[in-house]
Amino acid sequence: MNFLSFALAVICPLALVEQAASASLSTKLDYKIFPVRKNNEAAVVEWGNSAIISALDAAVASFGPQTSHEAFFEVETQPVLATPVNGRGNKSNIPLEKDQFADVVAYPGPLDNRDEIEGNMVVMTNESSNMTPIAMARVAKESGAAALMIVNFDRENPDAIYSLEAESKEEAEFAENHIDIPVIMVSLASGNLITTATVEEDMDEEDIVNNGMPDRIRLYGAGDRPFFEDAISQSPVLYLIHNLLSDEECDALLDMSKGKFKPVDDTLSNLLENTVAEKNRKRTMHNIEKAMLWKGQIKGHAGKQIDERIEQVTGYPQDQFSDWQITKMVKGAKHELHYDHHPITTPVATITVFLNDLDVAGGEIVFPKGGNDKNPIMITPKKAMAVVHHNTDFEGHFDVTSLYGEKPLLGDDVKYVARKFVYSEPLPPSKRIVLPILAAPTGGSLPQWVIVLHDYLLVKFGLEQGSAYFDKICFLGPVLPVLLLIAVGGLITSLFGKSNGGKQEKNGKKD
């Protein structure tokens, strides 16, 4: 029996139900499709020492040395800010009679500070430069640069980067013959970071060296390291993390979930394991099975490494993470548009990781209200890639644009997804210690009586108070037998002591 089956009115606010009902997976929208970035286009700009290392995510241009070229791509040198910073300033292009390539790659000539740039990485912005990427690369190359970093000056999307390309066949041919330096793009946020790397609080402007940039940086291919791809900067915040998990870690999660999958009936709530029914009892999960892996503080070394990595790349403290929730989808399975809302504690963010690749289309995750209905997003599955979306806005209010769903699975593929929810406060000891211990004998599945007890307390005492009582029971439950043993031991010791004292008293009288 599910005690919450008759208490749905307090579970999912009607406003959210109406928002979800106003859209559909089948609605045809002009989706922007992700991912766009590829592993071989990802690079890292790193500086610092063994104690403190800072790094930026960069996208490698499709021309010039590539990450696969290794030694020809990797650079260790000083970053130097271009003068003018966008490579052009007020200068006009060199006229055709003075530049044999002016009709192919028009450019304004070398930089004013070419002597500083010689042998170093030049840092330029693309703001109002009116130059193609190849032209900017030509400016850097003919200024003697060893590499070019272009800061993407996109104020509306300060985390956006992409792989630069030639804009014509003639430009591509020019680049192949003349551009032999690495060309990368970093985001505006990253540009601000590197130009304040050595700036300390209250530092006078005249004391700032090299425009606040480090004296040495290293550029290298990202390989299998995690890297970001920004989809929407707000309404909702939505981004991808490539390589968040390794292939082996994905396979290990699947192995742990074997034998634990159960069909999901989301017309009934299981709030302990994040199944929240809608007020109208409408089913949103079709032909989907779920396995909850309660591991908490006993997840082992491999699990702790994953949580530490997620904490490092997202900035969220790991004590605010839920355990993994694994879902399995077979042919025809879909998850209708819905919100990751919880009546007790709504997660501030959701981390969804694809655990396998698919051979055919289908199973995409869609955000139809992206950018306040102006920028709908569709994300195709890619093994080990995470989709991170915020369920609340920057002020902590629930974000109605975080509506999302999973399109029907086509073909005979099976799709596996792992989810973690990120909460605004650390999880209580009941979820981090006690429940994982109770689930340990079955490898992470809770006994049914625990879920029944949780549901009963919520219905009996209300959501907030019932949840508090459940946490107290979980905490006191394991402690009570210990206290009882201590009390019994003390009683036995006391009685034994009195008995011995009585015997000694009798012996004393006989003497």
Side-chain angles (χ1 to χ4, degrees):
M1 175 183 178
N2 188 304
F3 286 98
L4 294 185
S5 60
F6 58 88
L8 292 173
V10 298
I11 290 177
C12 192
L14 181 59
L16 297 187
V17 176
E18 291 174 345
Q19 283 280 350
S22 66
S24 169
L25 282 178
S26 59
T27 303
K28 292 184 178 181
L29 298 173
D30 186 18
Y31 284 109
K32 187 175 181 180
I33 299 175
F34 288 86
V36 176
R37 297 189 64 189
K38 301 175 182 177
N39 281 15
N40 61 357
E41 298 171 352
V44 177
V45 178
E46 183 180 272
W47 67 91
N49 52 45
S50 57
I52 302 175
I53 294 178
S54 301
L56 304 179
D57 182 26
V60 181
S62 62
F63 53 88
Q66 301 297 296
T67 56
S68 58
H69 297 158
E70 297 181 352
F72 294 98
F73 176 81
E74 295 178 2
V75 173
E76 186 170 354
T77 187
Q78 180 182 2
V80 178
L81 197 64
T83 304
V85 70
N86 68 354
R88 176 182 290 279
N90 296 321
K91 295 187 292 185
S92 301
N93 289 335
I94 296 175
L96 180 60
E97 60 268 18
K98 295 183 180 181
D99 179 12
Q100 60 176 319
F101 300 112
D103 59 338
V104 177
V105 182
Y107 91 125
L111 295 163
D112 297 345
N113 59 335
R114 71 187 76 174
D115 292 340
E116 295 179 70
I117 290 167
E118 182 72 35
N120 293 315
M121 174 184 282
V122 61
V123 180
M124 303 168 62
T125 74
N126 57 5
E127 184 183 31
S128 304
S129 70
N130 295 317
M131 285 192 287
T132 68
I134 301 295
M136 296 184 76
R138 184 182 179 190
V139 169
K141 168 67 178 177
E142 298 191 13
S143 299
L148 168 61
M149 176 191 294
I150 297 177
V151 178
N152 185 30
F153 225 83
D154 186 345
R155 288 187 175 88
E156 291 186 1
N157 200 350
D159 295 313
I161 58 175
Y162 53 90
S163 179
L164 294 162
E165 297 180 346
E167 296 186 0
S168 68
K169 181 180 178 181
E170 291 75 18
E171 275 202 339
E173 291 176 356
F174 175 89
E176 186 174 353
N177 294 322
H178 298 90
I179 305 300
D180 58 358
I181 61 172
V183 178
I184 61 172
M185 174 182 277
V186 301
S187 68
L188 178 58
S190 294
N192 290 332
L193 180 63
I194 196 171
T195 52
T196 55
T198 60
V199 178
E200 298 178 3
E201 192 174 354
D202 300 326
M203 179 181 282
D204 293 331
E205 188 172 344
E206 58 267 22
D207 295 329
I208 298 175
V209 179
N210 194 25
N211 293 290
M213 295 188 292
D215 57 357
R216 301 289 289 181
I217 57 96
R218 182 182 172 218
L219 170 66
Y220 57 91
D224 58 359
R225 296 173 182 83
F227 64 93
F228 290 85
E229 182 171 356
D230 193 61
I232 311 177
S233 58
Q234 59 182 348
S235 303
V237 173
L238 172 63
Y239 57 93
L240 314 181
I241 307 176
H242 296 254
N243 305 325
L244 181 64
L245 302 184
S246 68
D247 286 354
E248 293 75 19
E249 288 168 339
C250 291
D251 296 340
L253 284 174
L254 289 178
D255 287 340
M256 282 189 282
S257 61
K258 283 182 179 177
K260 301 179 180 66
F261 287 106
K262 296 179 181 178
V264 180
D265 179 3
D266 64 341
T267 63
L268 305 177
S269 285
N270 175 1
L271 298 188
L272 189 59
E273 298 187 325
N274 297 300
T275 299
V276 182
E278 293 184 357
K279 181 178 178 179
N280 58 10
R281 303 198 184 202
K282 177 185 176 183
R283 182 185 291 274
T284 65
M285 303 179 76
H286 303 271
N287 206 18
I288 295 177
E289 298 179 5
K290 183 168 72 172
M292 188 78 187
L293 299 178
W294 289 94
K295 296 293 182 178
Q297 297 291 81
I298 60 173
K299 60 175 62 73
H301 179 67
K304 289 178 180 178
Q305 278 189 318
I306 291 175
D307 277 0
E308 287 172 1
R309 186 186 314 133
I310 296 175
E311 179 180 67
Q312 183 179 23
V313 298
T314 65
Y316 290 116
Q318 57 184 293
D319 60 0
Q320 295 174 201
F321 298 163
S322 73
D323 281 312
W324 288 113
Q325 172 185 294
I326 315 297
T327 57
K328 175 183 178 182
M329 301 176 69
V330 297
K331 185 176 181 179
K334 63 179 178 178
H335 196 170
E336 298 283 3
L337 297 176
H338 64 285
Y339 291 100
D340 283 341
H341 172 268
H342 197 285
I344 300 174
T345 307
T346 291
V348 296
T350 303
I351 302 172
T352 304
V353 183
F354 298 108
L355 298 182
N356 65 317
D357 291 313
L358 300 179
D359 293 329
V360 296
E364 299 91 348
I365 295 180
V366 295
F367 291 82
K369 292 185 173 295
N372 286 315
D373 298 320
K374 298 177 182 178
N375 191 17
I377 300 295
M378 178 186 294
I379 301 164
T380 57
K382 177 187 174 187
K383 186 175 182 178
M385 182 182 74
V387 180
V388 182
H389 77 270
H390 290 193
N391 300 302
T392 56
D393 59 22
F394 295 115
E395 296 179 351
H397 302 133
F398 192 82
D399 191 341
V400 295
T401 65
S402 64
L403 185 74
Y404 78 110
E406 295 179 73
K407 293 179 75 67
L409 194 62
L410 308 176
D412 296 322
D413 280 341
V414 178
K415 174 188 168 187
Y416 293 97
V417 163
R419 279 190 178 84
K420 271 186 183 291
F421 299 102
V422 183
Y423 296 94
S424 59
E425 301 289 339
L427 270 64
S430 61
K431 292 184 177 179
R432 290 188 289 117
I433 301 172
V434 179
L435 296 185
I437 291 174
L438 293 174
T442 58
S445 295
L446 276 179
Q448 185 61 29
W449 65 264
V450 177
I451 297 172
V452 171
L453 173 63
H454 180 264
D455 289 356
Y456 172 76
L457 292 173
L458 296 189
V459 172
K460 180 70 174 178
F461 300 103
L463 295 176
E464 191 170 330
Q465 195 171 6
S467 180
Y469 284 156
F470 179 79
D471 290 339
K472 290 178 181 178
I473 290 173
C474 286
F475 177 73
L476 293 175
V479 175
L480 287 176
V482 176
L483 295 176
L484 183 61
L485 286 174
I486 293 173
V488 171
L491 180 61
I492 292 174
T493 302
S494 176
L495 293 174
F496 184 74
K498 288 181 180 180
S499 176
N500 284 344
K503 289 180 180 180
Q504 289 175 3
E505 188 177 343
K506 288 180 181 180
N507 290 336
K509 288 180 179 181
K510 287 181 181 179
D511 292 340

